Amino acid sequence: MNCDNKKDTWMKIFALLISLLYIFLGSMHIAEGMWADTGLAAVLFVSADMLGGLCLLVIGVVFFYGFRELNSGIEEGIAFVYVGMIMSLVFMLVYALVGAGTLMDSFLLPEDYTGWHISDQLRPGAYLGIPVFVAFLVWKDRFTALKQ
C-alpha cells in the first residue's frame, strides 16, 4: 500500500517530530535520574524520574516506528501512530489526575505545601500530550477498524 496522500504526509511529519521530542525528553529524564546535570532540565520541567523517562522513551519509539513504516510506504504504520497517541493521552491523563490530586491536597493541608507551586507538577508527559490531543481531534475521523 502506498501512503503518499497529504493526510499521511502530515501524519508522518507529526510522528517524526513527536517521537523525537519524546525520545529526547525521556533521555533527559533518565540522565537527570543518574545525577547528570543537563542544564535544560529546569527549563523543560524535567525531573529525575527514570521510570517516567522510560515511559517517554517507549512512547517515542512507538511513534518513531510508525513514522518509519509510513515513510517506507507501509500504510499499516498508522496503527503505531494511533497506539502512540493513545499511550501519550493515557500518560497525560495520569499526570493531570496526579496534579489535580496534589492541588486539592494543597488546599486541604496548606501547611504541608509551603513553597509549593502548581508548576511543580508540570512534567513532559503532561505537556507533550497537548499536541497529541490536538492531533487526535484533527484525525479522530480516521480511526476505524474496517478498511474502506
Side-chain angles (χ1 to χ4, degrees), residues 18-28 56-57 60-61 64:
I18 204 75
S19 71
L20 294 176
L21 284 172
Y22 268 99
I23 291 169
F24 173 71
L25 291 169
S27 300
M28 281 187 65
L56 292 180
L57 280 175
V61 168
F64 189 76

Side-chain angles (χ1 to χ4, degrees), residues 10-127:
W10 283 111
M11 190 165 286
K12 283 190 257 187
I13 292 169
F14 171 77
L16 177 63
L17 292 177
I18 204 75
S19 71
L20 294 176
L21 284 172
Y22 268 99
I23 291 169
F24 173 71
L25 291 169
S27 300
M28 281 187 65
H29 262 295
I30 293 171
E32 287 292 320
M34 295 189 321
W35 302 284
D37 187 17
T38 59
L40 288 173
V43 175
L44 298 173
F45 302 104
V46 174
S47 63
D49 180 13
M50 292 181 72
L51 292 177
L54 182 63
C55 290
L56 292 180
L57 280 175
V58 168
I59 294 170
V61 168
V62 169
F63 274 119
F64 189 76
Y65 196 79
F67 162 74
R68 196 178 81 177
E69 285 202 355
L70 285 173
N71 203 36
S72 297
I74 303 170
E75 192 172 330
E76 285 75 20
I78 203 165
F80 286 96
V81 177
Y82 289 156
V83 168
M85 291 171 86
I86 292 168
M87 291 170 65
S88 175
L89 292 174
V90 167
F91 207 59
M92 181 182 76
L93 180 65
V94 167
Y95 272 125
L97 290 174
V98 168
T102 305
L103 182 63
M104 287 189 334
D105 199 29
S106 72
F107 288 122
L108 296 173
L109 302 167
E111 63 274 357
D112 290 346
Y113 290 91
T114 54
W116 179 81
H117 193 267
I118 189 69
S119 65
D120 295 338
Q121 290 299 118
L122 194 56
R123 299 280 183 264
Y127 64 76

